[in-house]
Amino acid sequence: MAWPKPSRGDSPLAKHKGRSPGEVRRRICYHPIRSRGSVQVPLPPHLSQSEFEQACKELRGALGDDHVRTAEDQLEAYYDPYSPGLKERYAPSAAVLPANVEEIKAVLAIARAARLPLWTVSTGHNYAYGGAAPCLKGSVILDLSRMQSIEVDPDLAYAMVEPGVTYLQLYTFIREKKHRLMIDCPDPGWGSVLGNTLERGVGYTPHGDHAAQQCGMEVVLATGEVVRTGMGAMTGNPAWPLYKGGFGPSLDGLFLQSNFGVVTKIGVWLMPEPEAISVVEASFGREEDVVPLIDILRGLRLDGTVPTATIANWMRLAAGNTTRGEWYDGKGAMPESAIAKLMREIGIGFWNLRFGLYGAPRIVEENFKTVQKALSQIPKANISRAKYRRGQDMPPYHRTLAGIPSVDLMPLNWLGGAGAHIECPPVVPMRGAELLELYRRRTGLFNAHGFDHYCGLTTTSPRAFINTASIIFDSQDAEQAERARDLGRALIEDASTSRLGGYRGHICEMDLVAAQFDFNDHAAMRTFERLKDALDPDGILSPGKQGIWPKALRNAKRDQGDGK
Amino acid sequence: MAWPKPSRGDSPLAKHKGRSPGEVRRRICYHPIRSRGSVQVPLPPHLSQSEFEQACKELRGALGDDHVRTAEDQLEAYYDPYSPGLKERYAPSAAVLPANVEEIKAVLAIARAARLPLWTVSTGHNYAYGGAAPCLKGSVILDLSRMQSIEVDPDLAYAMVEPGVTYLQLYTFIREKKHRLMIDCPDPGWGSVLGNTLERGVGYTPHGDHAAQQCGMEVVLATGEVVRTGMGAMTGNPAWPLYKGGFGPSLDGLFLQSNFGVVTKIGVWLMPEPEAISVVEASFGREEDVVPLIDILRGLRLDGTVPTATIANWMRLAAGNTTRGEWYDGKGAMPESAIAKLMREIGIGFWNLRFGLYGAPRIVEENFKTVQKALSQIPKANISRAKYRRGQDMPPYHRTLAGIPSVDLMPLNWLGGAGAHIECPPVVPMRGAELLELYRRRTGLFNAHGFDHYCGLTTTSPRAFINTASIIFDSQDAEQAERARDLGRALIEDASTSRLGGYRGHICEMDLVAAQFDFNDHAAMRTFERLKDALDPDGILSPGKQGIWPKALRNAKRDQGDGK
């Protein structure tokens, strides 16, 4: 079989029966890597110890003692779990956990007065990109995980969620209410729906482009003003989560991958549960098969036959099913013969395509025939499918295609040790020949750094791929971690020479990626900065996020070339 | 047959064979109503005659004499064609027609120095909302109709267009290149693709939500800075028109229904030409049938069976096929018996649904069966369909459903005379019972003002309708025109009491609609104003657009309650 099949066969919630959603989350959202005791909790920049203590006292007054954390052991959850070597450099000074909009406003008022930098996280499970750690050392983490309200309209098929709501919680809520709705979730599903959407995260169903399914937003600006976007700008307007436009400009986009405000609520469109789902898997034996594969898939995506689809190279599937040592014990690139043996024995292709088909059974049937005919043009294509009806149980390895969140970590044991991964994914056009060229160049870079090329191509947009490239390493092996970071930077620099830009970036590479967006002498960044100064004049929100720094830190950061 | 069938049976382009696109547009984009000679060309606010003449001299130096218009007869095209009574109040002082981005930058530099208000239009055919006329009397029209570049990628199915490109030009370009692509166009198709998209215009195919299909934007800010959004912020990035996100916030939404910049180029996603199209029409005899109709349609929209669909009440179809005088010659509301006779004799329902089904023939067949079964639950539903194959000729009355632009004006002869219409469309949730209540209240308002209720419900978003309400009147009849305007305001005010907001607004009602967006004491408008001041500090771009005024005019406008 082609795709990784996690070992736990039960419903993701079965073993948590009777526990509260918060408890379930606490149990499954473990931080996999912790190296205790080595970091001095820093002060926020430009604040003396007594100024900081005064600010914390005020924060405790506003939120209660339990919701202001300053002790080292309380801050553990806010370090980057996959980059222990960067712990010191990106250490927060404190974390505050407001329960609602009023408390956020109180925190903002204290932060403005004290010039306290805040780093906003929803639940902070953005592991491959830095977890909950801030760009600016000494920032106070504004942790919104206590805000967990969910409203669902079963007729109009949408949810309104606060930042602390995880995919698992939303899924559970809908199941418990017996609404016939399907969510889309990333893999794994413990992260925040709101947080993932704001970062432009993706999933596996027709609603895989999370930002595209967002409708309606509530934001607290740094000034403390609460703004609702679109139709929500009119008090009580029922079309807020139904229609994306408003009267005048659309503000929602400003708060994606952004530090312009604190988003406290979003509307998310949901799908009616389809009558039938077919999970289609197809594998292709040769590296060069990716050329016709992509050109065929583009046609199927554009005409609507295939929704969101993912292509994985051999390594992406191997990393989920086996470890490198079982196939090769040398250093450097795995030889072709070992790769061929691995593919043959695990039963995977060099390229492996997977997607769902959704709808009435006859529609699914017709679409599958179209897919089968199209993909069979590629020699030795191996096409299979699994058919499910509404309400039918699915094996765990197909559940994300039905919007059922997994609670398993991404398999990271390829090199053994405390497996971690970092991501440096560019956005690439859906053209086969160009993709093969890029793939080969990136394979060269992976190999030159002593890693195997892990390649995922996710098409949530029908014209482009997000080219995920997970660099899997043992995070407790300092040399390996450093080498992984070097490869990450090399991949980012190589993408830029092909004029390809990053879909997201790790906190330590945000400046690097942002600097590559160079049209008209970085006009977009100048515009971001102008907007930052207008919306957050005190520069307190998430300094450095996506390379956007507040005025006071902008030039200093540029001069020292920090993070580049 | 149910829907209006324009009389011209030829291809929209047949009679223009051999003419250049510019010439075609000049011939078909006539302004239907002109009352000459009555308006004194005003000066821009705060400019003396000699200051204005100096500015015009500089503009002529930058653009050439031919492209700066100041004489009264040259400005005719820039008055609101449907509201001759408002001509004086919304008269421009001049019009400038730059040919490219460099010339726009030159115009902006002159405008900044002279504090000259500019009112940007793409082609200015936004008739029901004020045409090319500015909110602020004496503004200089920044007419971008000379910018007509088109690029199309047939594989990745997108176009990049400049503001002067009309739907007809884009359609012609694609036909001439023999690309197998389909566009979506509004009805009629002489307007600007870019302009319509920025105003969140809609069409009739699966790509009917024009703003949703926009990807990639080039904007000249008031400061003269040229910014490209998303992946276009990296020079030469091929994913600019392919993937909506970038690294950091999304700026595109800021320039929808906006005066924050001058948009000079957008990417527009196109559909591959489907193998088959079925145009489905269904009619329903009773007013209350709208309740199950909407609830059923919502399900079909949400599960993807039906794409963009339109519901028209009897009056919307009657207005296209006949005149009121043929059925009733009294004043006030048309009696039910006359409406019943009209419906019977023209062969239309009280409610009339229309949409296309697109794709492989077997998929279309299956979807039609689903639709038929669902709609047949409504007693006496009359369902028909017309089947077309790719390349097959279509009768003119079905062409917009295949993205073939019409060159016919919307039929406006219901009351005779120089027919005009104004629009006050709210966005309403797709819930049958609520809609019927709203419909009945709006019928009361139409009738109280002596008009027949014209109601269109367009669902480009699967959860909401844009409720178009065309008030058709004889624009040369001053009393009728005034009464139409009163009804427009009454409809806007009524919508607001139901907490429904406007999808667009006429220039004379922009302040009124904007003021209804009152959440948190108008927090959205305060945010718009903050962004306006940051991006256009001199306040030169389209003052008053969507109720957003530059700082210098903001308080003055508010104090005098202008436009309310």
Side-chain angles (χ1 to χ4, degrees):
Chain A
M1 291 291 287
W3 289 75
K5 322 250 178 298
S7 52
R8 297 186 200 150
D10 289 337
S11 147
L13 300 173
K15 65 178 169 294
H16 299 294
K17 218 170 154 68
R19 290 184 182 137
S20 75
E23 201 183 344
V24 171
R25 198 180 55 200
R26 215 162 39 246
R27 282 173 185 266
I28 62 170
C29 296
Y30 60 95
H31 288 258
I33 304 152
R34 290 287 159 238
S35 54
R36 287 173 162 274
S38 59
V39 169
Q40 174 86 39
V41 176
L43 286 174
H46 314 299
L47 260 71
S48 68
Q49 184 70 37
S50 67
E51 286 169 330
F52 180 59
E53 278 167 16
Q54 176 59 29
C56 290
K57 194 177 148 197
E58 291 171 24
L59 290 166
R60 288 199 176 91
L63 309 185
D65 287 353
D66 285 354
H67 304 121
V68 178
R69 299 178 183 167
T70 51
E72 197 201 329
D73 62 342
Q74 290 179 320
L75 294 177
E76 218 189 317
Y78 303 103
Y79 296 120
D80 177 348
Y82 285 167
S83 308
L86 299 174
K87 207 166 162 180
E88 187 84 39
R89 184 167 163 196
Y90 297 103
S93 59
V96 294
L97 293 92
N100 53 45
V101 166
E102 287 312 307
E103 290 190 3
I104 291 174
K105 286 163 70 173
V107 171
L108 292 170
I110 295 163
R112 285 196 307 275
R115 300 279 162 149
L116 203 60
L118 301 171
W119 180 262
T120 312
V121 301
S122 296
T123 59
H125 296 128
N126 202 7
Y127 289 172
Y129 301 102
C135 273
L136 179 68
K137 182 174 177 165
S139 296
V140 173
I141 307 299
L142 178 59
D143 177 342
L144 305 179
S145 62
R146 288 176 66 210
M147 296 175 68
Q148 300 186 2
S149 139
I150 304 177
E151 294 159 64
V152 171
D153 185 310
D155 299 326
L156 288 161
Y158 70 83
M160 294 287 289
V161 292
E162 287 189 335
V165 176
T166 66
Y167 285 96
L168 196 59
Q169 276 173 288
L170 179 58
Y171 171 79
T172 309
F173 182 94
I174 288 169
R175 282 287 80 73
E176 283 174 358
K177 301 273 183 197
K178 300 196 194 315
H179 297 322
R180 290 203 147 182
L181 296 172
M182 185 172 110
I183 69 167
D184 183 283
C185 56
D187 196 8
W190 62 36
S192 159
V193 177
L194 183 146
N196 187 283
T197 302
L198 295 190
E199 293 299 312
R200 298 197 186 92
V202 299
Y204 297 95
T205 79
H207 282 207
D209 178 355
H210 293 168
Q213 304 305 330
Q214 177 265 320
C215 184
M217 197 179 265
E218 180 183 82
V219 187
V220 187
L221 298 180
T223 54
E225 275 180 301
V226 182
V227 181
R228 289 185 176 172
T229 64
M231 289 294 159
M234 175 185 279
T235 309
N237 189 313
W240 185 26
L242 307 180
Y243 175 79
K244 294 193 185 199
F247 194 72
S250 294
L251 297 173
D252 305 55
L254 283 187
F255 304 100
L256 301 179
Q257 291 191 358
S258 156
N259 55 11
F260 295 166
V262 179
V263 180
T264 49
K265 193 179 266 191
I266 59 169
V268 175
W269 287 348
L270 305 173
M271 277 176 71
E273 227 182 353
E275 216 181 313
I277 300 179
S278 278
V279 176
V280 181
E281 294 176 346
S283 60
F284 309 90
R286 301 169 313 164
E287 189 187 53
E288 60 270 31
D289 289 339
V290 80
V291 177
L293 171 57
I294 286 179
D295 293 337
I296 290 167
L297 182 61
R298 185 181 64 234
L300 296 169
R301 285 290 284 116
L302 284 170
D303 72 9
T305 306
V306 171
T308 302
T310 308
I311 297 174
N313 76 338
W314 65 270
M315 162 64 181
R316 186 174 153 161
L317 296 199
N321 289 315
T322 179
T323 57
R324 180 183 160 106
E326 294 172 54
W327 308 95
Y328 183 62
D329 56 10
K331 294 222 165 192
M334 224 167 122
E336 276 182 33
S337 59
I339 297 174
K341 183 163 183 252
L342 177 159
M343 281 164 47
R344 204 170 47 242
E345 297 197 9
I346 315 187
I348 61 174
F350 193 99
W351 295 105
N352 305 274
L353 168 69
R354 189 168 76 164
F355 56 86
L357 296 172
Y358 303 81
R362 289 181 308 198
I363 298 283
V364 168
E365 211 54 42
E366 290 302 334
N367 282 330
F368 180 66
K369 280 185 208 159
T370 304
V371 162
Q372 205 170 23
K373 192 173 157 198
L375 292 175
S376 298
Q377 294 169 58
I378 304 170
K380 301 191 189 167
N382 183 2
I383 306 163
S384 70
R385 80 159 154 166
K387 292 161 77 167
Y388 304 102
R389 285 301 190 110
R390 182 159 53 204
Q392 192 182 333
D393 196 30
M394 279 182 126
Y397 48 89
H398 281 166
R399 285 185 188 152
T400 50
L401 284 112
I404 304 171
S406 153
V407 296
D408 290 307
L409 257 182
M410 177 177 160
L412 294 171
N413 206 32
W414 181 243
L415 296 179
H421 70 121
I422 50 177
E423 297 282 349
C424 309
V427 174
V428 304
M430 273 184 89
R431 288 196 204 269
E434 283 173 31
L435 205 289
L436 177 59
E437 198 190 313
L438 181 73
Y439 180 79
R440 287 182 167 156
R441 223 174 45 240
R442 288 167 76 90
T443 300
L445 287 169
F446 267 86
N447 293 347
H449 287 78
F451 290 102
D452 303 302
H453 187 180
Y454 179 114
C455 174
L457 301 165
T458 302
T459 164
T460 48
S461 166
R463 290 159 183 81
F465 285 114
I466 294 163
N467 182 357
T468 49
S470 304
I471 308 169
I472 298 180
F473 59 100
D474 175 354
S475 65
Q476 311 251 296
D477 177 332
E479 182 277 329
Q480 221 179 81
E482 185 57 31
R483 194 148 43 83
R485 190 57 64 198
D486 283 347
L487 170 57
R489 267 189 294 268
L491 291 170
I492 292 170
E493 268 152 17
D494 176 73
S496 164
T497 63
S498 322
R499 306 280 75 200
L500 298 174
Y503 143 78
R504 282 156 97 172
H506 186 277
I507 49 167
C508 81
E509 280 144 2
M510 285 181 174
D511 285 331
L512 174 66
V513 178
Q516 296 178 335
F517 285 76
D518 57 357
F519 175 75
N520 190 20
D521 192 23
H522 307 267
M525 181 53 78
R526 282 201 306 281
T527 308
F528 292 153
E529 290 175 350
R530 221 190 288 183
L531 297 169
K532 177 71 176 168
D533 297 343
L535 296 174
D536 177 14
D538 301 305
I540 54 170
L541 290 178
S542 299
K545 168 91 181 142
Q546 243 69 17
I548 305 169
W549 293 92
K551 206 171 223 164
L553 294 166
R554 210 168 281 158
N555 298 331
K557 278 278 153 191
R558 284 218 178 105
D559 294 346
Q560 82 192 70
D562 196 46
K564 287 178 193 173
Chain B
M1 293 292 286
W3 289 74
K5 320 253 179 293
S7 53
R8 296 185 200 146
D10 289 337
S11 145
L13 300 172
K15 63 178 172 298
H16 298 293
K17 219 173 154 62
R19 289 181 185 141
S20 73
E23 202 183 343
V24 171
R25 197 179 56 200
R26 217 162 38 248
R27 283 174 184 265
I28 60 169
C29 296
Y30 59 93
H31 288 258
I33 303 151
R34 289 288 161 239
S35 55
R36 288 175 159 275
S38 59
V39 170
Q40 176 87 38
V41 177
L43 285 174
H46 313 300
L47 260 70
S48 70
Q49 184 70 36
S50 67
E51 286 168 333
F52 181 58
E53 278 166 17
Q54 177 58 30
C56 290
K57 196 178 146 195
E58 290 171 25
L59 290 165
R60 288 198 175 90
L63 308 185
D65 287 354
D66 285 355
H67 303 120
V68 178
R69 298 177 183 168
T70 52
E72 195 200 330
D73 61 342
Q74 291 179 321
L75 294 177
E76 218 189 316
Y78 303 103
Y79 296 121
D80 178 349
Y82 286 167
S83 308
L86 299 175
K87 205 167 163 176
E88 187 85 37
R89 185 166 163 196
Y90 296 103
S93 60
V96 294
L97 292 92
N100 52 46
V101 166
E102 286 312 307
E103 290 190 4
I104 290 173
K105 286 163 71 174
V107 170
L108 292 170
I110 295 163
R112 285 196 307 275
R115 301 276 161 150
L116 203 61
L118 301 171
W119 180 262
T120 311
V121 301
S122 296
T123 60
H125 296 128
N126 202 7
Y127 289 172
Y129 300 101
C135 272
L136 179 67
K137 182 172 175 166
S139 296
V140 173
I141 307 299
L142 178 59
D143 177 342
L144 305 179
S145 62
R146 289 174 66 211
M147 296 176 66
Q148 299 186 1
S149 141
I150 304 176
E151 294 158 64
V152 171
D153 185 311
D155 298 327
L156 287 162
Y158 70 84
M160 295 287 289
V161 292
E162 288 189 334
V165 176
T166 66
Y167 285 96
L168 197 59
Q169 276 172 285
L170 179 58
Y171 171 79
T172 310
F173 181 94
I174 287 169
R175 284 284 82 70
E176 282 173 358
K177 302 273 183 196
K178 301 197 194 313
H179 296 323
R180 290 203 147 182
L181 296 172
M182 185 172 112
I183 69 168
D184 183 283
C185 55
D187 198 6
W190 62 35
S192 159
V193 176
L194 183 147
N196 187 282
T197 303
L198 296 190
E199 293 298 312
R200 299 199 187 91
V202 299
Y204 297 95
T205 79
H207 282 206
D209 178 352
H210 293 168
Q213 303 304 328
Q214 177 265 320
C215 184
M217 198 180 262
E218 180 183 81
V219 187
V220 188
L221 298 180
T223 54
E225 274 180 301
V226 182
V227 181
R228 289 185 176 172
T229 64
M231 289 293 159
M234 175 184 281
T235 309
N237 190 312
W240 185 24
L242 307 180
Y243 175 79
K244 292 193 186 197
F247 194 74
S250 294
L251 297 172
D252 305 57
L254 284 187
F255 303 101
L256 301 179
Q257 294 192 356
S258 156
N259 55 10
F260 295 166
V262 178
V263 180
T264 50
K265 193 179 267 191
I266 58 170
V268 175
W269 286 348
L270 305 173
M271 277 176 72
E273 229 182 352
E275 216 181 313
I277 300 179
S278 278
V279 176
V280 180
E281 295 176 346
S283 61
F284 309 90
R286 302 168 313 164
E287 190 187 53
E288 59 270 30
D289 289 339
V290 81
V291 177
L293 172 56
I294 286 179
D295 293 336
I296 289 167
L297 182 61
R298 185 181 64 235
L300 296 168
R301 285 288 284 115
L302 284 170
D303 72 10
T305 306
V306 171
T308 301
T310 307
I311 297 174
N313 77 335
W314 66 270
M315 163 63 180
R316 185 172 155 163
L317 297 198
N321 289 314
T322 179
T323 58
R324 179 182 161 105
E326 294 172 54
W327 308 96
Y328 184 62
D329 55 10
K331 293 223 168 193
M334 225 167 122
E336 275 181 34
S337 60
I339 296 173
K341 182 161 184 256
L342 176 156
M343 281 163 47
R344 203 168 49 242
E345 296 196 10
I346 315 184
I348 60 175
F350 193 97
W351 295 105
N352 306 273
L353 167 69
R354 188 167 79 164
F355 56 87
L357 296 173
Y358 304 81
R362 289 180 308 195
I363 298 284
V364 168
E365 210 56 40
E366 290 302 335
N367 282 330
F368 180 66
K369 280 185 211 157
T370 304
V371 162
Q372 205 170 23
K373 191 174 158 198
L375 293 176
S376 297
Q377 295 169 58
I378 304 169
K380 299 192 190 168
N382 182 3
I383 305 163
S384 70
R385 81 159 155 166
K387 293 162 75 166
Y388 304 101
R389 286 299 192 110
R390 181 157 56 204
Q392 190 182 335
D393 197 28
M394 280 182 126
Y397 48 88
H398 282 166
R399 285 187 189 150
T400 49
L401 284 112
I404 304 172
S406 153
V407 296
D408 291 306
L409 259 181
M410 178 179 161
L412 295 171
N413 206 32
W414 180 243
L415 296 178
H421 69 121
I422 50 177
E423 297 282 350
C424 309
V427 174
V428 302
M430 274 184 89
R431 287 196 204 269
E434 283 173 30
L435 206 289
L436 178 60
E437 196 191 315
L438 182 73
Y439 180 80
R440 285 182 168 155
R441 221 172 49 237
R442 287 168 77 91
T443 300
L445 287 169
F446 268 87
N447 293 347
H449 288 78
F451 290 101
D452 303 302
H453 187 180
Y454 179 114
C455 173
L457 300 167
T458 302
T459 163
T460 48
S461 167
R463 290 159 183 80
F465 286 115
I466 294 163
N467 182 357
T468 50
S470 304
I471 308 170
I472 298 180
F473 58 101
D474 175 354
S475 65
Q476 310 250 295
D477 178 332
E479 183 277 330
Q480 223 178 81
E482 184 57 31
R483 194 149 41 84
R485 189 59 63 198
D486 284 347
L487 170 56
R489 265 189 295 270
L491 290 170
I492 292 170
E493 269 151 16
D494 176 74
S496 164
T497 62
S498 321
R499 305 281 74 197
L500 297 174
Y503 143 77
R504 282 156 96 172
H506 186 279
I507 48 168
C508 81
E509 281 144 3
M510 285 180 174
D511 285 330
L512 174 65
V513 178
Q516 296 177 336
F517 285 75
D518 57 357
F519 176 75
N520 190 18
D521 192 22
H522 306 267
M525 180 54 78
R526 283 201 307 280
T527 308
F528 293 154
E529 290 176 349
R530 219 191 288 184
L531 297 170
K532 177 71 177 167
D533 297 343
L535 296 174
D536 177 13
D538 301 303
I540 55 170
L541 291 178
S542 299
K545 168 90 180 143
Q546 243 69 16
I548 305 169
W549 293 92
K551 206 170 222 166
L553 293 165
R554 210 168 280 160
N555 297 330
K557 278 279 152 188
R558 285 219 178 108
D559 294 346
Q560 82 193 71
D562 197 45
K564 290 180 192 174

